[in-house]
Amino acid sequence: MPPRIQFTQLLDYYLSDQGKQHLPAINKYAKMNTAEADDKILHYAMEGIRLNGTFGSYRESQIHDTINDNGRE
């Protein structure tokens, strides 16, 4: 997935009602110039992507088959 999409997904999470509680801490770490603060921000970013990201597992069938799902094929 392109990084710009992941960035918008984590931004969307931290601006939502669920994630906005973390903004003060993220802002505090963003103003610090330490390796520890950078590590904390990285973890916030990865967590935002994990919680709001789009993940999928795709497989290609090796045989032709039609699945009937209550009248939908």
Side-chain angles (χ1 to χ4, degrees), residues 32-53:
M32 299 169 71
N33 189 21
T34 65
E36 180 185 345
D38 290 346
D39 187 58
K40 292 280 191 183
I41 291 172
L42 176 61
H43 282 89
Y44 274 108
M46 291 189 305
E47 188 68 359
I49 292 168
R50 184 186 73 81
L51 291 171
N52 202 42

Side-chain angles (χ1 to χ4, degrees), residues 10 21 29 41 53 57 63 71:
L10 79 90
Q21 65 185 348
Y29 290 124
I41 291 172
S57 177
I63 61 170

Side-chain angles (χ1 to χ4, degrees), residues 5 24 28 30 38-39 46 56 58 64-65 67:
I5 292 173
K28 177 183 83 169
D38 290 346
D39 187 58
M46 291 189 305
Y58 304 97
H64 177 72
D65 197 8
I67 298 172

